[in-house]
Amino acid sequence: MKRWGWVSTGVALALTLVVLAVLGARDPGPTTDAGDLAAPLPMAPRPTGGTSAAAAPTVPMPATPPSWMRRMQPGEKPPQFVLFSFDGAASKPHWDRIMPLAAGVGAHVTGLLSGVYLVPDDDAASYTGPGHRPGYSSIGFGGSRADVELRIGYLNAAIAAGHEIGTHYNGHYCTGDEPNVGSWDTAQWNDELDRFFAIVEQARQRGFALDPANVRGGRTPCLEGDWDQAFPAMRGHGLVYDTSHVSLGVVWPYVRDGVWEFPMPEVRVPALGKQVVMMDYNLWFALNGAKEEPHRAADFTQVVLDTYRSVYQEAFNGNRAPIVIGNHFNEWAGGAFSGAVEGFLGEVCAKPETVCATYTEVVQWMQLQDPAVLDHLRRIPAAVN
């Protein structure tokens, strides 16, 4: 679930009713691939906070850095980073399409994994979300043991190809599924992250290749959270980045409470003439209220592609801030949004002075830069298309 754009009180009330109606109607049980259950709902974003005084976290540098992983020369512009990230991250058909596309243009992407997708249905009772009953998750669990074994195999292939796996936490409890993540205190966030890492460790015993030390960040369900409560838990579990806040336009990452924040940009959709958080479901809701109209897939794909291109051009010619593109592995609206993000990945990642990287890779690049240069970049106005 993801927040939707700035809304008036009346619209917010209407969206709340939509949220409650969809929550009541949604089947939380497993599908062929549980990754497709991680569907967002429209909500209004909170404004992002400013840079805090806490020190920026660091991560080890790669043993063999790519050519762009270097300190900028005086007067040099940064690469235009584009960060493709996928919540849930548990769909084999989508990984099967993304990985060859990415390999063809030298791109890396980030899958933000919901831990419950590594828990077989038969073991559901082993998970208890904060404030919820044992064996309950808003998005179901991982299916059969064979489903989970298959999932471990293709996630291992993604890791081997250089893609990053972060956390989308576990039970995906959003507004309407109380207690929702927006109400959790630090102890509850600690509990959820403890369980995520325990699930990863259990999966490692079944051959999962993800080193827990390489889980360096994530996105909260629905972009919700009391950040004063959530960030201490993130930092305490060794996370170095978060990508749950919303910014007006594309801005440079900043440090909050010892964690790098990569905000999701709220951008203008040229075809609609209005602002929308650049997440696939939010775009779908803005286009037609998130109705399944597969016959409009080609039109929707074009609208989203045009939006991505407009945002890229504004950032590339402006502050060169990393562009965060949030998505899900889904076939909503006849695959319109998967088609758009896959098409854009193949197009933009081949452009000069452009790097499609993981969050960790961008953090590593920032570590190499003069802090004064990064401060200067943050002071450049946001890229607003």
Side-chain angles (χ1 to χ4, degrees):
M1 300 185 186
K2 293 295 168 285
R3 297 181 180 273
W4 185 47
W6 303 105
V7 292
S8 67
T9 303
V11 175
L13 177 58
L15 293 183
T16 300
L17 295 176
V18 171
V19 169
L20 294 176
V22 176
L23 283 170
R26 187 171 61 182
D27 177 8
T31 62
T32 302
D33 195 300
D36 293 336
L37 292 171
L41 293 170
M43 296 181 185
R46 296 180 184 178
T48 56
T51 304
S52 71
T58 59
V59 296
M61 296 301 293
T64 307
S67 60
W68 54 264
M69 186 77 74
R70 59 178 178 79
R71 191 182 182 95
M72 288 190 296
Q73 298 300 310
E76 184 181 6
K77 288 186 176 181
Q80 179 57 66
F81 291 109
V82 184
L83 292 89
F84 291 89
S85 52
F86 301 90
D87 290 6
S91 168
K92 185 176 188 300
H94 289 87
W95 277 116
D96 285 348
R97 296 204 301 269
I98 286 290
M99 286 202 290
L101 275 172
V105 290
H108 289 156
V109 306
T110 302
L112 300 173
L113 180 65
S114 297
V116 291
Y117 295 153
L118 296 176
V119 178
D121 290 356
D122 288 347
D123 297 338
S126 66
Y127 169 69
T128 303
H132 291 269
R133 66 182 184 275
Y136 170 68
S137 154
S138 291
I139 51 174
F141 288 87
S144 69
R145 295 188 187 280
D147 290 334
V148 173
E149 295 303 321
L150 176 67
R151 189 162 298 122
I152 287 171
Y154 61 75
L155 289 174
N156 284 350
I159 293 167
H163 304 300
E164 178 173 16
I165 302 298
T167 180
H168 196 43
Y169 301 86
N170 300 308
H172 212 279
Y173 308 112
C174 298
T175 297
D177 201 352
E178 312 307 330
N180 70 77
V181 299
S183 68
W184 287 358
D185 60 20
T186 300
Q188 289 171 308
W189 282 109
N190 278 328
D191 182 50
E192 182 78 338
L193 280 166
D194 285 346
R195 292 175 189 275
F196 177 86
F197 284 104
I199 289 169
V200 169
E201 286 291 358
Q202 290 162 2
R204 280 168 60 83
Q205 296 173 17
R206 302 193 297 274
F208 193 24
L210 180 62
D211 183 344
N214 290 335
V215 178
R216 297 195 173 103
R219 182 177 291 133
T220 65
C222 325
L223 306 187
E224 291 183 345
D226 178 337
W227 307 121
D228 289 339
Q229 297 296 318
F231 271 66
M234 295 175 192
R235 188 176 62 250
H237 282 80
L239 302 189
V240 299
Y241 72 82
D242 172 71
T243 182
S244 306
H245 287 196
V246 173
S247 60
L248 181 59
V250 182
V251 302
W252 276 91
Y254 55 87
V255 178
R256 172 173 176 147
D257 298 331
V259 176
W260 282 108
E261 180 60 44
F262 287 75
M264 297 276 300
E266 181 185 335
V267 304
R268 189 178 69 89
V269 178
L272 301 178
K274 62 182 176 182
Q275 301 289 119
V276 183
V277 176
M278 201 162 66
M279 171 68 79
D280 49 6
Y281 187 93
N282 304 64
L283 292 162
W284 185 23
F285 193 92
L287 282 162
N288 76 340
K291 301 183 187 73
E292 277 295 352
E293 295 181 316
H295 63 282
R296 301 181 66 185
D299 291 341
F300 288 177
T301 295
Q302 191 61 55
V303 168
V304 175
L305 268 173
D306 288 346
T307 301
Y308 290 158
R309 289 165 179 160
S310 174
V311 171
Y312 170 85
Q313 206 59 47
E314 191 66 31
F316 185 84
N317 293 329
N319 64 357
R320 290 283 180 102
I323 300 169
V324 176
I325 295 180
N327 219 282
H328 294 76
F329 286 149
N330 66 76
E331 291 304 310
W332 295 322
F337 305 97
S338 293
V341 78
E342 290 164 14
F344 189 62
L345 188 153
E347 171 187 310
V348 76
C349 300
K351 287 182 177 291
E353 301 180 56
T354 301
V355 176
C356 294
T358 67
Y359 290 90
T360 290
E361 288 173 329
V362 176
V363 170
Q364 291 167 330
W365 179 89
M366 290 192 295
Q367 289 173 182
L368 295 174
Q369 309 311 313
D370 183 336
V373 170
L374 292 180
D375 287 342
H376 169 72
L377 291 172
R378 285 191 206 97
R379 289 194 296 270
I380 299 174
V384 180
N385 64 320

